[in-house]
């Protein structure tokens, strides 16, 4: 049986694409996401005229909830390294950050853990007033694997990065914008039109100028490939340890990975 496509690509024009993510009730990231995202990034890299890409969600409550904590760990561990030498999960985020096109996220709802890491790998993040971001991994005894440890300090500064990473709490849209986690919050009902307008503006400019400008900013602001590898290795070493099984079990008992459970206010419930 074929795997459902999680990324629906709408080619608005040769220079502007809109990509909508959809995977289950709360948009979990899983091993299929890794493989499909790798193919999508290659497609973006090879599109000759593509200048702007918008990433959005089919679910207004969940942009990308987080990694599927019930996914097949052995399948993920067995994935062959990408040409960069990185595990495909880390390679996806590293490559996404460096594609020639400008990447823009339209964040409605929740983006925690790997969902937050995906958003951080894009160039520009616009949020609706109901957006929530966070890195909750320490609350289940893990190190974040998608390198927010390399990305957040560059965006927010060391202290605020550690507040997010060590506190494991939710950051609502307004606070996320004040910290620099997202670029700005767009008023209720206006996010889609605003992002579309911004993307069309960028897509209308010369691709060489956009790509070269972005590459110069990347030199000054992006983490190294090695830091992505180190982050994921630390995740593999710390996740799933038996001494933290009770934390994960408690969250699942209270509705983790269900649209009406602790996912709604995971930051607060994590510490209970």
């Amino acid at each position: 049986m074929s795997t459902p496509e999680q990324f629906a690509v709408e080619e608005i024009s040769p220079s502007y694409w809109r990509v909508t993510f959809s995977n289950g009730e709360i948009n979990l990231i899983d091993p299929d996401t890794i493989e499909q995202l790798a193919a999508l990034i290659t497609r973006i890299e090879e599109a000759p005229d593509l200048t702007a890409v918008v990433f959005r969600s089919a679910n207004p409550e969940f942009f990308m909830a987080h990694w599927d904590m019930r996914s097949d760990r052995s399948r993920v561990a067995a994935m062959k390294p990408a040409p960069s030498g990185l595990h495909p999960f880390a390679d996806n985020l590293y490559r996404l950050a460096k594609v020639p096109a400008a990447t823009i996220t339209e964040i409605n709802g929740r983006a925690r853990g790997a969902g937050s890491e995906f958003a951080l790998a894009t160039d520009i993040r616009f949020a609706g007033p109901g957006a929530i971001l966070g890195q909750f991994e320490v609350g289940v005894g893990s190190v974040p694997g998608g390198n927010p440890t390399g990305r957040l300090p560059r965006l927010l500064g060391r202290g605020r990065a550690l507040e997010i990473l060590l506190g494991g709490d939710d950051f609502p849209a307004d606070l996320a914008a004040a910290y620099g986690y997202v670029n700005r919050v767009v008023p209720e009902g206006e996010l889609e039109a605003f992002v579309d307008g911004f993307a069309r503006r960028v897509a209308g400019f010369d691709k060489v100028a956009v790509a070269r400008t972005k590459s110069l900013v990347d030199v000054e602001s992006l983490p190294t490939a090695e830091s992505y590898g180190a982050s994921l290795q630390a995740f593999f070493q710390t996740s799933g340890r038996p001494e933290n099984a009770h934390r994960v079990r408690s969250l699942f008992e209270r509705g983790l990975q269900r649209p009406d459970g602790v996912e709604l206010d995971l930051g607060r419930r994590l510490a209970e």
Side-chain angles (χ1 to χ4, degrees):
M1 187 172 65
S2 62
T3 303
E5 289 294 326
Q6 298 179 9
F7 296 95
V9 180
E10 183 181 5
E11 297 188 20
I12 307 297
S13 72
S15 63
Y16 170 30
W17 294 2
R18 189 160 52 202
V19 180
T20 303
F21 181 70
S22 179
N23 188 31
E25 290 185 308
I26 63 169
N27 273 358
L28 291 168
I29 296 171
D30 59 26
D32 289 334
T33 314
I34 296 175
E35 294 174 352
Q36 293 184 25
L37 181 58
L40 174 60
I41 293 170
T42 298
R43 187 175 164 188
I44 291 170
E45 290 171 335
E46 295 177 351
D49 301 313
L50 186 59
T51 309
V53 182
V54 170
F55 290 96
R56 56 206 299 268
S57 168
N59 187 333
E61 298 298 322
F62 295 92
F63 175 75
M64 291 179 171
H66 51 75
W67 178 255
D68 182 355
M69 296 172 67
R70 284 182 166 148
S71 62
D72 184 350
R73 294 173 60 89
S74 62
R75 178 182 168 191
V76 177
M79 288 180 172
K80 294 181 179 179
S84 65
L86 294 172
H87 184 279
F89 179 81
D91 184 71
N92 280 346
L93 298 179
Y94 180 67
R95 288 172 62 207
L96 179 60
K98 294 177 73 66
V99 296
T103 54
I104 306 153
T105 37
E106 178 185 312
I107 307 173
N108 271 317
R110 295 154 180 84
R112 302 184 181 104
S116 163
E117 292 160 1
F118 178 93
L120 288 169
T122 63
D123 301 322
I124 300 164
R125 292 162 293 283
F126 296 124
I132 295 171
L133 295 92
Q135 298 286 161
F136 69 95
E137 290 88 344
V138 293
V140 292
S142 298
V143 172
N147 206 22
T149 47
R151 195 76 180 99
L152 285 170
R154 289 170 165 81
L155 290 170
L156 283 63
R158 183 173 184 271
R160 285 176 170 174
L162 288 171
E163 180 185 349
I164 292 168
L165 294 164
L166 301 185
D169 208 348
D170 287 342
F171 282 73
D174 286 343
L175 182 57
Y179 273 28
Y181 206 157
V182 299
N183 287 64
R184 70 169 81 180
V185 181
V186 180
E188 184 75 38
E190 299 178 18
L191 180 63
E192 181 177 347
F194 175 86
V195 172
D196 181 66
F198 180 82
R200 289 178 187 273
R201 179 182 177 88
V202 174
F205 296 145
D206 177 74
K207 176 175 178 172
V208 172
V210 170
R212 289 290 298 275
T213 299
K214 176 178 168 177
S215 69
L216 289 169
V217 173
D218 289 350
V219 170
E220 304 297 332
S221 63
L222 286 185
T224 63
E226 290 76 13
S227 71
Y228 279 89
S231 177
L232 189 58
Q233 182 63 28
F235 171 78
F236 286 148
Q237 292 170 344
T238 56
S239 66
R241 289 177 294 149
E243 55 264 43
N244 291 294
H246 68 288
R247 301 179 189 274
V248 178
R249 183 172 58 250
S250 172
L251 288 171
F252 273 109
E253 289 170 352
R254 291 178 284 149
L256 188 69
Q257 301 195 175
R258 297 204 305 266
D260 57 351
V262 295
E263 293 286 352
L264 297 177
D265 57 350
L266 184 58
R268 179 177 65 84
R269 305 294 294 279
L270 191 67
E272 290 179 349

